[in-house]
Amino acid sequence: KALKTIKEGKAEICLKTEKVFYNPVQEFNRDLSIAVLSIFTDDYKAEKLTRAEKKISNRQNNTEGTNEVNEVPVTILEALSATGLRSIRYAKEVPNITKIVANDLSEQAVQTIRENIVSNNVQSIVETSHDDACMLMYKHKHPMKRFAAIDLDPYGCPSMFLDSAVQSVQDGGLLLVTATDMAVLAGNSPETCYCKYGAVSLKTKCCHEMALRILLQCIEQHANRYSRYIVPLLSISADFYIRVFVKIYSGAFHCKKTTSKLSMVYQCVGCDNITLQPLGGFKPNPTEKNPEQMKAYLPTVPPVSEFCVHCNQRHHLGGPIWSAPIHDEVFVSRVLSHVQDNPQLFGTGKRIEGVLSMVREELQEVPLYYTLDKLFGRVHLETMPMLVMRSAILNAGYKVSYSHASKLSIKTAAPAQVIWDIIRTW
Ligand code: SAM
């Protein structure tokens, strides 16, 4: 007997027990994932077709390759599926998918998924699996068995699933990862954050973007162990969780660039000012003819001074964080257009439009941000209107943007000195 019937997107699922997890608030997460996967699977298929066509044109006798061109398997794993709602929606709403595996460790969950697959008539695309997510992914780490995309949507921290996940995604495949342990990531428990994510979190005004950057560095570190690396497409902070969409590629040479994408974070305990110290750099190698052959080097930057130059206090040390771009602007624009062109497909479409429009405007070259309330709170002044602050930064000759992660955010490359000068004039 059904306890609850849930209709979301093109799926209608039935819950017979409270023991199987379902959260209606995550509709935004599922809608956004569908929009991202719709664009990703198009690209993925096109890329594979181009590769296959190249292979064929390189062959003298091309009869063998014809099938390869027509059939590009696009297989998705939902490693922690609960009701199967997400997998069923992917099957019904994302084009190009050839197979989805909906996995869960709980027997009740798998039984629920089975029934929902049948009632939604997606048996030809979705199959169930009753396994530990890591064990299942390890069984798929061979290049011939890898998935085009893996979705990890666990309770809390996803790090225990990353070692297997980064090995089981195709070259150029997509990893979709949720983390809901925001207290850990946002600096309430920096030691736990180090244990789980390999980075120390800080209690700072920009903790939500810092959380995204800690998760990205964590995935990159796991990938690097297997000579693989990530390219972030979209990184979102929403409600009580963060969600990142990253492509995974293979290439030992590219992994050498990782240190240039990571930084330690120094946070002044007095004025909250944040200084980043990159872990490494990458520059052209003059001894190489090919300019692509860049050379990794350890930066010889001066250490961040013991006392903050603005208020003479000491620093907390956090990180390492991912300090390279966290979104791909072109990809984000395409996802946004897809949502705008198909409003009927997304229950939370308006919210996605709002968030992605802000994401698209974010200054990619500037990690982290100030917040207006914290800046003025520090000096016990009444807060300046956001518009006045932004105009002052622009007048001083620096770009400024919001971050989607905070309404009061100020993302700018303007030095902290410029910001404090503006505050002094208020
Ligand atoms: N993705 C789902 C959605 O969009 O509705 C929600 C997933 S729920 C947050 C997490 C699920 O992971 C639970 O159903 C739980 O049984 C399952 N789970 C926990 N540990 C697991 C493991 N090691 N392997 C497979 N499934 C696991």
Side-chain angles (χ1 to χ4, degrees):
K1 193 165 152 270
L3 204 66
K4 231 191 247 169
T5 304
I6 298 138
K7 208 173 159 351
E8 191 184 288
K10 292 186 179 164
E12 186 166 333
I13 61 156
C14 190
L15 260 186
K16 288 186 180 163
T17 163
E18 293 280 359
K19 286 185 185 156
V20 177
F21 179 91
Y22 162 69
N23 187 351
V25 178
Q26 293 271 34
E27 181 179 357
F28 171 75
N29 181 330
R30 288 183 282 267
D31 278 353
L32 182 62
S33 305
I34 286 165
V36 166
L37 276 171
S38 301
I39 304 301
F40 164 76
T41 51
D42 262 356
D43 290 354
Y44 180 83
K45 213 174 150 186
E47 254 171 55
K48 296 276 169 197
L49 280 173
T50 316
R51 273 197 219 174
E53 274 162 9
K54 266 193 197 153
K55 253 195 213 168
I56 290 170
S57 66
N58 288 342
R59 281 185 204 143
Q60 290 198 323
N61 177 356
N62 69 6
T63 48
E64 234 183 284
T66 316
N67 287 341
E68 218 176 324
V69 174
N70 290 332
E71 293 161 19
V72 176
V74 183
T75 55
I76 313 271
L77 169 65
E78 192 197 357
L80 309 125
S81 186
T83 58
L85 170 60
R86 193 180 284 261
S87 289
I88 292 166
R89 288 198 60 195
Y90 288 171
K92 291 190 152 188
E93 299 170 45
V94 180
N96 303 316
I97 297 179
T98 45
K99 187 174 101 173
I100 301 174
V101 179
N103 176 70
D104 207 286
L105 190 59
S106 143
E107 203 166 335
Q108 273 172 314
V110 177
Q111 186 53 35
T112 307
I113 301 170
R114 266 193 208 114
E115 290 166 7
N116 286 325
I117 288 174
V118 174
S119 63
N120 282 274
N121 200 19
V122 286
Q123 303 91 313
S124 59
I125 299 186
V126 188
E127 64 182 55
T128 55
S129 158
H130 181 203
D131 206 344
D132 170 67
C134 295
M135 296 311 288
L136 177 64
M137 290 189 277
Y138 284 130
K139 286 178 207 159
H140 286 263
K141 67 180 191 171
H142 188 280
M144 299 299 285
K145 289 188 167 180
R146 286 177 182 160
F147 295 98
I150 296 182
D151 192 323
L152 298 176
D153 182 43
Y155 302 126
C157 173
S159 62
M160 72 181 82
F161 302 108
L162 292 178
D163 181 70
S164 48
V166 296
Q167 296 180 71
S168 317
V169 175
Q170 287 282 356
D171 195 19
L174 185 71
L175 205 53
L176 308 87
V177 185
T178 309
T180 62
D181 54 344
M182 289 310 290
V184 169
L185 283 161
N188 281 351
S189 183
E191 308 81 6
T192 311
C193 191
Y194 182 78
C195 297
K196 294 196 167 182
Y197 292 92
V200 176
S201 55
L202 292 171
K203 249 190 203 157
T204 145
K205 68 268 178 185
C206 51
C207 60
H208 290 114
E209 188 178 310
M210 181 138 169
L212 285 167
R213 293 178 180 277
I214 286 175
L215 176 58
L216 289 171
Q217 76 78 35
C218 183
I219 304 175
E220 173 80 349
Q221 285 215 7
H222 279 91
N224 282 173
R225 285 172 198 147
Y226 305 98
S227 298
R228 310 194 93 189
Y229 61 98
I230 66 166
V231 175
L233 293 182
L234 175 62
S235 310
I236 294 289
S237 158
D239 304 324
F240 54 89
Y241 63 90
I242 53 173
R243 176 86 161 157
V244 298
F245 303 86
V246 301
K247 274 186 156 187
I248 304 272
Y249 289 99
S250 301
F253 174 72
H254 280 277
C255 292
K256 284 193 163 197
K257 294 184 189 168
T258 295
T259 51
S260 69
K261 300 173 197 167
L262 301 178
S263 296
M264 299 307 290
V265 184
Y266 289 81
Q267 180 193 24
C268 169
V269 296
C271 66
D272 248 355
N273 187 56
I274 282 185
T275 311
L276 295 187
Q277 187 157 72
L279 290 195
F282 224 72
K283 61 183 177 186
N285 185 352
T287 59
E288 287 285 347
K289 282 187 195 133
N290 179 358
E292 284 285 292
Q293 294 297 312
M294 305 281 273
K295 190 174 174 338
Y297 69 99
L298 283 180
T300 52
V301 291
V304 170
S305 59
E306 187 179 356
F307 296 103
C308 170
V309 291
H310 308 292
C311 72
N312 220 24
Q313 302 272 332
R314 287 174 188 264
H315 297 95
H316 279 143
L317 176 60
I321 62 163
W322 177 267
S323 45
I326 61 173
H327 317 290
D328 175 325
E329 258 175 65
V330 176
F331 184 84
V332 172
S333 297
R334 289 170 63 207
V335 176
L336 178 58
S337 304
H338 176 68
V339 176
Q340 285 166 336
D341 294 346
N342 300 281
Q344 75 288 356
L345 295 182
F346 303 100
T348 62
K350 280 281 161 245
R351 184 172 174 201
I352 297 181
E353 278 184 42
V355 171
L356 293 189
S357 304
M358 287 194 83
V359 162
R360 211 170 46 163
E361 301 300 317
E362 279 178 19
L363 288 178
Q364 286 278 356
E365 68 279 15
V366 182
L368 308 179
Y369 49 81
Y370 301 97
T371 57
L372 202 62
D373 55 337
K374 279 280 163 62
L375 277 174
F376 283 83
R378 278 282 147 184
V379 285
H380 305 289
L381 281 179
E382 196 186 318
T383 308
M384 181 186 263
M386 183 58 107
L387 203 63
V388 178
M389 182 55 139
R390 288 165 68 96
S391 309
I393 295 172
L394 287 171
N395 278 335
Y398 297 95
K399 286 191 206 164
V400 60
S401 80
Y402 284 98
S403 154
H404 77 279
S406 165
K407 277 186 188 143
L408 293 175
S409 53
I410 303 163
K411 222 180 216 310
T412 179
Q417 193 60 53
V418 172
I419 303 297
W420 289 123
D421 283 348
I422 293 171
I423 294 170
R424 272 189 211 103
T425 61
W426 180 236

